[in-house]
């Protein structure tokens, strides 16, 4: 089974590209959604986060807003949080891949914002990187509720620069040119990889 990585910096159109892969019938593992599940009541991350950041847990679930404030600008706290969350997300990813292999899928997609930053590309056979011009990225991100220039700048500092991601990509999906162009590139690349789709 081919493991396809999908990544890109904030505001580059990764969610839109992931939806396109789903529409083409490919199973997609969303790392962000996995984190949401881990933080919900009963989630595997709640207890360990409660030990390290007790004020971030209320009514048996992780309060993401409080947790964000606790780790914002604190490198040591962020490292501790990543040491809790990343292995749990990897475990979910491995379960997903095992399930898709059992189902004899030809390919599966791993949608991971920090794919290169966490070394996740090592489990991928091929990596798609979504990219758009910086001004398009800024417009998209600053249109989000609660987003500020300083918050965007802090997020971008944690992410590998777009040019470096593009350099490492097996295929760059240019999302600033419209959805039809992105979909065409995905279909053409899947065809080249021998992956049949809907």
């Amino acid at each position: 089974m081919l493991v396809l990585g999908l990544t890109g910096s904030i505001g580059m159109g990764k969610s839109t590209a992931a939806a396109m892969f789903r529409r083409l019938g490919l199973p997609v593992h969303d790392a962000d959604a996995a984190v949401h599940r881990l933080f919900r009541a009963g989630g595997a991350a709640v207890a360990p986060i409660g030990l390290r950041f007790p004020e971030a847990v209320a009514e048996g679930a992780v309060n993401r807003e409080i947790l964000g404030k606790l780790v914002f600008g604190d490198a040591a706290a962020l490292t501790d949080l990543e040491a809790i969350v990343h292995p749990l997300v990897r475990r979910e990813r491995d379960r997903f891949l095992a399930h898709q292999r059992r189902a004899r899928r030809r390919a599966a997609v791993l949608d991971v914002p920090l794919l290169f930053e966490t070394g996740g590309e090592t489990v991928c056979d091929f990596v798609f990187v979504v990219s758009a011009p910086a001004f398009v990225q800024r417009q998209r991100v600053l249109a989000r509720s609660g987003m500020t220039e300083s918050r965007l700048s802090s997020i971008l500092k944690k992410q590998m620069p777009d040019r470096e991601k593009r350099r490492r990509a097996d295929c760059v999906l240019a999302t600033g040119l419209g959805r039809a162009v992105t979909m065409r590139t995905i279909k053409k690349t899947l065809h080249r990889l021998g992956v049949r789709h809907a």
Side-chain angles (χ1 to χ4, degrees):
M1 181 182 79
L2 273 181
V3 179
L4 309 175
L6 173 63
T7 193
S9 299
I10 186 169
M12 291 299 197
K14 192 172 56 55
S15 299
T16 301
M20 289 176 181
F21 280 107
R22 283 192 186 94
R23 210 157 49 242
L24 293 171
L26 274 73
V28 177
H29 181 264
D30 180 339
D32 274 347
V35 171
H36 279 277
R37 285 193 299 274
L38 291 166
F39 283 11
R40 280 201 303 248
V46 178
I49 287 174
L51 287 173
R52 173 61 181 85
F53 305 99
E55 56 272 61
V57 173
E59 295 170 20
V62 175
N63 182 314
R64 293 172 69 95
E65 203 176 317
I66 293 171
L67 183 63
K69 284 176 183 155
L70 293 172
V71 301
F72 186 78
D74 184 335
L78 182 62
T79 300
D80 289 350
L81 177 62
E82 287 172 346
I84 294 167
V85 176
H86 288 173
L88 294 172
V89 173
R90 277 196 294 272
R91 195 171 75 192
E92 286 227 355
R93 174 202 71 194
D94 293 344
R95 274 197 206 120
F96 165 83
L97 290 174
H99 176 73
Q100 302 310 326
R101 285 191 179 100
R102 280 195 304 275
R104 301 202 184 288
R105 294 280 200 165
R106 284 279 298 120
V109 180
L110 299 178
D111 170 0
V112 187
L114 300 175
L115 185 76
F116 293 125
E117 292 86 341
T118 57
E121 78 278 12
T122 56
V123 302
C124 299
D125 301 300
F126 191 94
V127 176
F128 290 88
V129 167
V130 289
S131 182
F135 77 91
V136 174
Q137 178 189 30
R138 279 187 74 259
Q139 277 174 353
R140 287 173 178 170
V141 179
L142 292 174
R144 295 181 186 182
S145 161
M147 185 55 70
T148 61
E149 288 276 5
S150 69
R151 188 137 178 256
L152 171 57
S153 155
S154 160
I155 290 167
L156 290 174
K157 276 189 198 127
K158 288 189 200 92
Q159 298 186 339
M160 184 181 285
D162 178 54
R163 67 180 175 279
E164 177 61 18
K165 286 182 178 170
R166 286 198 316 263
R167 194 183 67 74
R168 293 186 182 205
D170 295 303
C171 174
V172 175
L173 297 173
T175 65
L177 302 171
R179 293 178 185 215
V181 174
T182 307
M183 181 60 109
R184 223 172 15 249
T185 307
I186 291 173
K187 283 180 172 177
K188 210 161 28 177
T189 308
L190 291 177
H191 180 72
R192 186 159 54 85
L193 293 170
V195 177
R196 290 220 301 274
H197 55 77

